[in-house]
Amino acid sequence: MEQEIHITLRYNLTTGNANLNEIVYRLKELRDPLVLRILEEILKSYDDLIAQRLSRTDIYPSKKRKGLGRHTRKDDTDGRPCRGRKARKRGYRKKPRKISTVFGNLNVPIREVECCKCGARYCPLLSALKIGFYARTEMNFEHEVIESVIDTNYRRLIDGRSIDISLGGIHNIVVGSDIDETFQESVSATDLSGIMADGTGVKQQKGRKGELRAVIGITKAGRVEPLGSFSNTTWPEIEQTIKKRIKEAEPYNIPFIYDGEPGLDDFMADVAESQRCTWHGPRGLYHALWEDGLKKKESRPETDKIKQLIGIELPENDFELLKEEDKEQVKIRYESSKTEIKELIKTFQEKGYKHGASYLEKLSDRIFTNIELWLETGVIAPKTTSLLERLFREIGRRLKKIAWGWSDKAVTNISKMIMIRQYSRDKWEKYWKHKLGIKGYFHIKIASVTGSCRTF
Ligand SMILES: [Zn+2]
């Protein structure tokens, strides 16, 4: 049904003095309030159209009332629905409904009708708008709130608009999100080239120190697949959750990389092969040699050597695809450092550095498994947890700025959102489009814009 809205704008300009910048500046100021007024008109007219169909049963067949006028029977304590679809208009509610929208705060007058069958009074517009009976915000608004938290741009959200939302209001939007129930589709282990996990401390409610933990997968195509984000959850619990998302039940040797976080030694042991971040190699060796009685000065040449030997396989990026032409070179360097490390282990054994030798053995096992995997699959698995470190830094910055003192649920949700938006942008966009329910039931275009005083 085609409707029209007529807009009259009045302006004054000081001829010869008004410049383009000033005109654009004022129009920009007008944009949100103008669209807000248009929205208000559309809603009023929508309300009228609905009321018309419900009251004029002589004109509109029941087919035209499909989906309209749902309400519960009057005085029915069990809340059973009434089948009556004929109603009388009963004026407007005393208080208009306030809804925060992306253009600012909206006040919609809400019409009441009375059911001709049961006598119940209800507001048919609210259910047609699908905003829920107590909703105070619309979804585009929530989308923008969340995007602004992720961009740490809270001020830009509210500045210059009639939007008013407190930090507490933002918290409630984040807590109320269904992000927790979505993005649970299973992941195939054979698609993954690595799994990483790490944790970081966060300040939460009443200065309480919390622990935020995240697990991500790296696919063979080199993409990040967020697997989960948790606050104040034990590693075994996290493991259970992640395992449920991974399809294969049989063991599959995905390299598992972590940053020496306690409690992670056996994490995902039946699916993944654990692999400490190689950055710890030199430090770990120093420690092992210290146990063998070597002073720092004495172990220094050995740790430096290890740094060099494992340095060959540290890619510049966190993960990347290994080019065919580079494979041969990697292979040569891999063979030579493998030989050198083996020799070093032998030397250690001869010198009686028991701890040093066994540490190096374990370390080289892990490192070389990883290189062998690259050579085999062509995908360089992430070597360091810097990807996660960066993620945590990003989350931390937002928690400090906006989410200060948030609850567990909110911290979990926002970190999940950050992960998904940063690393699975397409899934993030799809999620919102689905939530907004854009299905082609409303179209609007500018019919004409004319000036009134072109008399010259
Ligand atoms: Zn009724």
Side-chain angles (χ1 to χ4, degrees):
M1 202 174 230
E2 195 155 274
Q3 309 286 316
E4 276 187 0
I5 292 170
H6 298 270
I7 300 164
T8 311
L9 301 171
R10 285 203 183 92
Y11 62 88
N12 274 305
L13 62 79
T14 313
T15 311
N17 287 333
N19 67 23
L20 178 63
N21 296 339
E22 186 170 353
I23 297 169
V24 171
Y25 186 88
R26 292 301 171 204
L27 283 177
K28 224 174 114 195
E29 276 185 338
L30 197 72
R31 201 164 45 184
D32 280 351
L34 175 64
V35 179
L36 203 58
R37 292 287 298 275
I38 296 171
L39 174 60
E40 207 181 293
E41 284 310 313
I42 292 170
L43 293 182
K44 272 196 235 163
S45 146
Y46 194 10
D47 200 4
D48 288 344
L49 291 168
I50 294 169
Q52 181 81 353
R53 290 202 182 181
L54 290 173
S55 59
R56 298 297 304 272
T57 46
D58 53 331
I59 307 173
Y60 297 102
S62 62
K63 204 169 70 189
K64 294 274 179 193
R65 288 189 295 277
K66 202 174 166 226
L68 295 176
R70 288 203 184 97
H71 63 282
T72 48
R73 270 188 248 174
K74 194 183 182 181
D75 302 327
D76 191 319
T77 43
D78 298 330
R80 269 168 300 190
C82 171
R83 299 180 137 266
R85 285 298 180 264
K86 187 173 158 61
R88 275 182 214 99
K89 293 182 203 171
R90 282 291 181 250
Y92 287 86
R93 282 205 163 166
K94 275 193 203 96
K95 281 186 186 163
R97 172 63 76 88
K98 276 189 193 148
I99 300 164
S100 300
T101 77
V102 73
F103 309 117
N105 288 335
L106 177 77
N107 284 303
V108 211
I110 303 281
R111 188 192 288 281
E112 260 190 343
V113 300
E114 189 183 323
C115 172
C116 294
K117 190 176 182 193
C118 72
R121 287 195 172 211
Y122 64 94
C123 308
L125 178 66
L126 291 177
S127 65
L129 292 177
K130 298 185 181 64
I131 53 167
F133 205 75
Y134 298 101
R136 291 283 178 265
T137 59
E138 53 90 27
M139 205 55 80
N140 291 282
F141 177 72
E142 295 193 8
H143 185 202
E144 241 176 75
V145 166
I146 285 167
E147 294 279 344
S148 73
V149 175
I150 294 178
D151 291 336
T152 54
N153 232 329
Y154 173 58
R155 284 250 66 88
R156 204 174 69 192
L157 172 75
I158 51 172
D159 279 355
R161 300 202 227 186
S162 59
I163 285 174
D164 78 79
I165 182 155
S166 61
L167 287 171
I170 294 179
H171 176 263
N172 290 342
I173 286 180
V174 172
V175 167
S177 150
D178 60 357
I179 196 90
D180 225 18
E181 293 93 60
T182 42
F183 300 103
Q184 292 298 327
E185 68 274 22
S186 51
V187 177
S188 166
T190 49
D191 290 341
L192 295 175
S193 72
I195 294 178
M196 293 194 260
D198 204 2
T200 188
V202 287
K203 251 196 196 138
Q204 284 186 279
Q205 279 163 333
K206 291 171 189 154
R208 173 171 64 92
K209 201 176 175 293
E211 179 80 12
L212 182 66
R213 288 168 173 170
V215 183
I216 58 177
I218 307 292
T219 68
K220 287 198 172 142
R223 291 199 49 171
V224 173
E225 176 73 57
L227 291 175
S229 170
F230 309 82
S231 68
N232 302 315
T233 312
T234 63
W235 283 116
E237 266 176 88
I238 294 172
E239 191 177 5
Q240 284 309 311
T241 312
I242 302 289
K243 267 185 192 164
K244 273 187 210 141
R245 285 199 58 193
I246 295 186
K247 271 188 221 150
E248 285 77 6
E250 297 126 64
Y252 188 80
N253 284 353
I254 313 164
F256 172 67
I257 295 115
Y258 65 105
D259 197 9
E261 169 96 11
L264 270 180
D265 287 307
D266 293 318
F267 189 72
M268 307 283 292
D270 41 356
V271 214
E273 187 167 310
S274 92
Q275 186 163 35
R276 251 174 204 245
C277 174
T278 49
W279 180 77
H280 291 279
R283 214 172 64 184
L285 181 63
Y286 159 72
H287 187 76
L289 289 173
W290 175 81
E291 282 178 310
D292 287 324
L294 266 72
K295 295 217 171 66
K296 194 171 186 172
K297 242 200 323 212
E298 297 164 303
S299 65
R300 190 65 177 273
E302 318 293 355
T303 54
D304 280 353
K305 192 164 186 188
I306 277 302
K307 218 185 272 176
Q308 236 177 20
L309 285 175
I310 62 174
I312 63 130
E313 34 107 8
L314 285 176
E316 275 175 31
N317 298 322
D318 298 306
F319 55 88
E320 56 190 326
L321 287 168
L322 191 61
K323 288 188 211 105
E324 233 9 83
E325 61 261 39
D326 297 337
K327 269 191 186 172
E328 198 48 38
Q329 231 185 331
V330 170
K331 208 171 171 183
I332 294 165
R333 285 191 292 175
Y334 152 69
E335 299 289 356
S336 77
S337 46
K338 196 172 179 177
T339 318
E340 279 194 62
I341 288 187
K342 280 206 170 129
E343 273 164 25
L344 196 61
I345 294 170
K346 231 166 92 187
T347 317
F348 279 5
Q349 279 162 345
E350 283 162 11
K351 286 188 178 168
Y353 304 158
K354 260 166 65 189
H355 292 98
S358 87
Y359 178 82
L360 215 50
E361 241 160 30
K362 270 190 224 143
L363 181 76
S364 66
D365 263 1
R366 282 194 292 259
I367 289 168
F368 294 127
T369 319
N370 204 28
I371 304 181
E372 278 152 19
L373 196 92
W374 304 350
L375 290 169
E376 203 179 299
T377 63
V379 175
I380 296 185
K383 289 267 62 302
T384 63
T385 47
S386 65
L387 196 67
L388 272 172
E389 272 162 29
R390 196 167 63 221
L391 178 73
F392 282 133
R393 230 178 4 250
E394 281 180 24
I395 294 169
R397 217 174 52 227
R398 285 151 182 92
L399 295 182
K400 216 180 248 169
K401 267 200 162 171
I402 297 168
W404 183 85
W406 275 16
S407 62
D408 282 6
K409 174 95 172 140
V411 169
T412 311
N413 282 359
I414 200 68
S415 50
K416 226 169 232 174
M417 289 170 179
I418 292 171
M419 279 216 281
I420 294 162
R421 200 184 73 143
Q422 303 296 81
Y423 300 119
S424 305
R425 182 63 76 128
D426 48 334
K427 283 187 195 166
W428 178 251
E429 305 292 344
K430 224 166 95 189
Y431 164 72
W432 280 103
K433 199 137 190 214
H434 177 75
K435 275 180 90 71
L436 294 169
I438 314 284
K439 288 173 189 149
Y441 291 133
F442 178 75
H443 295 281
I444 188 167
K445 62 179 185 209
I446 299 169
S448 72
V449 179
T450 48
S452 57
C453 61
R454 287 236 189 87
T455 52
F456 307 107

